[in-house]
Amino acid sequence: MRLDLPADKRLVHTMTIPIRWGDMDAMGHVNNTIYFRYMEIARLQWMGEWGMPANPQGQGPVIVNAFCNFLRQLEYPGEVIVRSYVGALGQRSFDMFHEMLRTDGGDTVYANGGATVVWVDFPAQRSLPLPEALRARLAAGA
């Protein structure tokens, strides 16, 4: 099953990640689990850049679902461009989407995917409304 990224999304972050030798599996291409790692790295860098990192003693983001469409094989050596987008905004959550391209691959998308991010109080183990600063940035497409 393939899940399509929505047309209604806003680009919020772009970063480049090197493909490491150890990212490959026995088949000679980047292991499927690593694509989720690339999305995680981009998501955490984006949130950290504006002071909203996960805080295990306080509040932060939790992923409640995730998906990835593997469109073409990524292989070592190379670099992956991860474009991150924000989609639907809820009271306690928002959707994020990602596209993965190679720096030497033009506009070819090698994989895309996404996740629903919920804001939580870690010690209390419950969801919270999105902080106003985060909500404002998400609404503005920051």
Side-chain angles (χ1 to χ4, degrees), residues 63-119:
I63 301 304
V64 296
N65 67 33
F67 73 94
C68 187
N69 297 308
F70 306 100
L71 307 173
R72 296 191 183 349
Q73 294 181 32
L74 286 170
E75 298 172 341
Y76 175 88
E79 293 179 311
V80 178
I81 299 169
V82 182
R83 294 180 186 156
S84 300
Y85 302 84
V86 170
L89 180 59
Q91 180 65 23
R92 296 169 181 257
S93 67
F94 62 94
D95 292 333
M96 276 202 86
F97 302 99
H98 308 276
E99 293 176 325
M100 288 163 264
L101 304 86
R102 286 183 61 102
T103 55
D104 60 359
D107 290 329
T108 301
V109 176
Y110 283 72
N112 62 34
T116 299
V117 180
V118 174
W119 200 258

Side-chain angles (χ1 to χ4, degrees), residues 1-22:
M1 167 188 351
R2 179 179 170 162
L3 300 173
D4 292 324
L5 274 57
D8 185 22
K9 62 187 182 308
R10 297 172 311 282
L11 180 66
V12 294
H13 186 259
T14 301
M15 74 174 297
T16 302
I17 302 170
I19 299 171
R20 301 168 303 173
W21 174 261

